[in-house]
Amino acid sequence: MEAALRVTTLPGPFGAAVDEIDLAQDMSDDTMRRLIGLLHEHQILAIKGQSLTNADYVRFGYKWGKPLAFAMQNHRRDDHPEMIRITNSAATPARYRDGAKHWHCDSTYEEVPASVTMLYGVEAPAEGGETLLASTSLAYDALDPAMKDRIEGMTGLHCLGGSPELPGEKIPFVPEETARHGIRKHPMVMRHPVTGRKSIFTSGTAFGAEGLEKDEGRALIDTLRRHITRPEFTTSYKIEAGDIFLWDNFQTLHSATAIEYSDEDGKRRLLYRISTKGLPDLCREAIAA
Ligand SMILES: [Fe+2]
């Protein structure tokens, strides 16, 4: 029987929200199939009004794939290393501030990029803290046929800190980290592993394309990224306490916005991120069937 969920579309060109669901009571296969289907259809999904223990949140994370081990160990919780702490504490060193304030998708500096990222809102500031999102599948659909032909089968080159939008002093990784991760290759046109829908896969780590001269590759990436971030393909979402907000990394770019770093009441933000790799077990069953 299909799980009963109340689904609304978010303002903007894409995105959905669900409420009247309590994941602490119901992470059944029926419910998870609906949620996974909604994310794949709408690219971003807000699940409102949740109150989960850390153990339950991690259990929810595993429903989407295998949680990745984040590069920055000091951002993980000791008791649940799958959970990555994101705060705006005034104690945050300057080099770690606003590190996600550029258009990207997650872990594209690794051989296997993240497939889904989720953020659980524990505290949210009264003002600010929105996340910007761009639909790379809507943007792909709107490309002119000549550009679709040009990038079909092309391989993008990626490295940590590859984004031209990141001022050098704010790259929140030490150079050894960048060297360790090296250059990664990902298809420029991503076919969604579950739905087959195509999207443009140019994260903030993309700096060129295989077979193109450096400047030509850079110019192509810039053109595609300007296209993806046009207003008709972008939206924003503010994560409130009790939200679990998910994005499909194969179909979106995201960017943090500037936030005030403060420990004052009404200004604090605490989010727990889990990013997964691979497919949900439920999708593997569906594909195998
Ligand atoms: Fe990110």
Side-chain angles (χ1 to χ4, degrees), residues 21-22 77 89 97 104 113 118 120-121 131 138 199 205 208 213 225 235 241:
I21 178 178
D22 180 358
R77 279 186 69 98
S89 168
R97 294 186 178 200
H104 67 285
M118 63 204 79
Y120 182 25
T131 301
L138 289 178
S199 61
T205 55
E213 292 297 326
R225 287 166 62 79
T235 190

Side-chain angles (χ1 to χ4, degrees), residues 16-207:
V18 296
D19 57 13
E20 296 185 351
I21 178 178
D22 180 358
L23 292 172
Q25 303 298 323
D26 179 8
M27 288 190 215
S28 64
D29 286 357
D30 279 349
T31 295
M32 289 307 305
R33 278 195 192 93
R34 288 289 312 281
L35 295 176
I36 292 164
L38 285 169
L39 181 68
H40 291 164
E41 179 183 351
H42 295 278
Q43 299 133 64
I44 56 175
L45 179 65
I47 306 171
K48 309 289 294 179
Q50 301 306 303
S51 179
L52 295 184
T53 63
N54 291 335
D56 276 345
Y57 180 45
V58 170
R59 191 160 67 89
F60 179 73
Y62 275 94
K63 302 278 185 188
W64 296 86
K66 184 177 185 311
L68 61 83
F70 190 55
M72 297 164 75
Q73 198 141 11
N74 58 338
H75 287 221
R76 301 188 219 160
R77 279 186 69 98
D78 290 340
D79 53 349
H80 292 289
E82 300 90 344
M83 293 170 62
I84 301 161
R85 191 187 296 105
I86 298 172
T87 79
N88 63 336
S89 168
T92 306
R95 69 182 182 283
Y96 291 134
R97 294 186 178 200
D98 295 326
K101 197 169 81 60
H102 64 116
W103 286 107
H104 67 285
C105 50
D106 292 323
S107 290
T108 48
Y109 52 84
E110 296 184 358
E111 193 164 343
V112 179
S115 41
V116 170
T117 289
M118 63 204 79
L119 296 168
Y120 182 25
V122 178
E123 279 191 291
E127 301 285 332
E130 286 80 7
T131 301
L132 307 179
L133 298 122
S135 169
T136 55
S137 48
L138 289 178
Y140 176 83
D141 293 345
L143 282 178
D144 68 65
M147 181 60 96
K148 283 184 181 172
D149 280 351
R150 185 179 175 204
I151 63 174
E152 186 68 35
M154 196 177 261
T155 298
L157 302 174
H158 297 250
C159 75
L160 193 59
S163 170
E165 299 162 36
L166 268 178
E169 68 277 12
K170 287 214 176 151
I171 294 175
F173 294 91
V174 292
E176 305 87 74
E177 251 338 281
T178 304
R180 187 164 66 81
H181 285 285
I183 291 175
R184 300 296 180 196
K185 299 176 181 182
H186 301 301
M188 197 80 90
V189 177
M190 176 63 72
R191 278 186 75 85
H192 195 280
V194 176
T195 67
R197 188 172 180 185
K198 289 183 177 180
S199 61
I200 308 167
F201 199 66
T202 54
S203 180
T205 55
F207 66 92

